[in-house]
Amino acid sequence: MSLEKNHDGRGTLPAPGRVEDVRRGNLVRVLAALAQARTDPRRYPTRADLASLTGLTKASVSSLVAELADSGLVTESGATRDGERGRPGVGLELSTRRGVVGMEINVDYISAGVLDLGGTLRAHRTLECGNRGQPPGSVMALLAGLVSDVAAEASLAGIEILGGVLAVPGLVDTATGTVSSAPNLHWQDVTLELDGLLPAAPLGTVLHNEANCAALGELWYGHGQDFRDYLFVSGEVGVGGGLVIGSRLFSGPRGQAGEVGHVVVEPSGPDCSCGGRGCLETFAGQEAIFSEAGIAPGAASVRLTDLAERLVAGDAAATSAVERAGHYLGIAAASTARLMNLSAVVLGGHFTRMGPWIAPAVLRSLADYAPGVVSPSRVAVSELGQSAALLGAAGTALRSVLAAPHSLTPAGQGPSGS
């Protein structure tokens, strides 16, 4: 869809009420209903089901489905019968022949994965590399190669890429594709060349914060099924956070809410990479935990494995380091829960491998500093591990596709299908 420009160059929605605008809105309604209706893996929703869910007439739904099928977003999946009587309807599903790419740049790795419109991860690759202090252009070139590999794998499976989202650990401006501040990467006010990642994709690539993407990954594919309101804490080299309220990400007026890693938990604590001191990250970030546990410098994956082995063996220094991190993590979670009226905490990233040792320490702090606010049954360890941000990024891209079906050309007829 071509948007009119206002005085500051930003796109504005066309004036409401026009017939084409109503139809565009109805296309989105049908896609949203189709995405939500597939709860029984043995049964695909029919046109009649979609009419009931959206309140549109069966004729309107049939016309809209035909348009969505032409765009390659919806396919028919055989007959579906509700009971013994009546003619069976034709089941519908979101196409597995079109997809999106989730991408992540972190301090010690990059990753990319292809998610089809049905929500299945079809290709996924991770490359360990030291990105701290590296020129953004060099890291983006490396990521472009990885994206090219997963896109080629998707192409062999007959999947057409429509767009993507890149997750970066730092404060970002999504509208301009700028990393405002990523202390652990040593990037400041860097505008990334996003167009080179998916040059043929009609919806392009959008930049998002890594912790917010991880929180969304948890919402859509993890404990979001159990909790409507929670703090997601993502442990990597640093510590990120995402706030989910009413099953929606809350990112604040400038998109920077949830920076729990830089909540001050010890005013007299050590200096932090953000320029402050005593931040949670200085106690619960990877380097802080490794140093406290006496683990020598090296590749992060090797050090995490070493830490996990020491924890299992009952090593006193490793156990103390993780419990110390959990203590301060609980302090930050207690303050956040009180301030935002949250009732659950989910631990992700590297905290998943420390779960049996760090979760009890978090619970003790919550009981001390916010008694009765977060019950023990509502402190969970994510099962998504390192893939949470990637899944959240891909899921965000997928939802962008479902929110803008009118912007896509019929399958195989546009630039992305050439």
Side-chain angles (χ1 to χ4, degrees), residues 217-314:
E218 193 66 36
L219 174 64
W220 295 326
Y221 306 105
H223 286 285
Q225 308 301 312
D226 307 314
F227 308 143
R228 285 177 50 83
D229 310 285
Y230 60 89
L231 167 66
F232 180 86
V233 187
S234 174
E236 295 290 348
V237 170
V239 177
L243 299 172
V244 173
I245 300 175
S247 296
R248 288 176 173 269
L249 179 71
F250 175 77
S251 56
R254 292 190 298 160
Q256 299 175 359
E259 281 293 301
V260 68
H262 298 289
V263 168
V264 177
V265 293
E266 183 62 76
S268 60
D271 293 339
C272 181
S273 61
C274 72
R277 63 183 305 178
C279 297
L280 173 62
E281 189 171 293
T282 64
F283 296 97
Q286 279 183 6
E287 288 303 321
I289 295 174
F290 292 151
S291 176
E292 189 74 9
I295 294 176
S301 60
V302 174
R303 299 171 87 189
L304 278 172
T305 298
D306 187 7
L307 177 66
E309 290 173 350
R310 295 188 188 200
L311 289 170
V312 171

Side-chain angles (χ1 to χ4, degrees), residues 99-103 161-166 198 201 203-208 393-394 397:
V100 294
V101 179
M103 297 157 271
I161 302 301
L162 302 178
V165 166
L166 168 62
L198 294 169
L203 298 183
T205 302
V206 179
L207 181 67
H208 280 282

Side-chain angles (χ1 to χ4, degrees), residues 114-135:
V114 175
L115 198 73
D116 68 31
L117 297 192
T120 300
L121 191 63
R122 304 289 293 274
H124 180 203
R125 297 193 186 186
T126 297
L127 176 66
E128 291 193 12
C129 51
N131 298 320
R132 190 195 304 270
Q134 294 299 310

Side-chain angles (χ1 to χ4, degrees), residues 105-106 167-173 178-185 187 207-212 240 255-256 259 262:
I105 293 174
N106 221 301
V168 173
L171 303 180
V172 304
D173 184 337
T178 300
V179 179
S180 304
S181 176
N184 289 313
L185 288 172
W187 292 0
L207 181 67
H208 280 282
N209 170 265
E210 171 266 334
N212 282 345
Q256 299 175 359
E259 281 293 301
H262 298 289

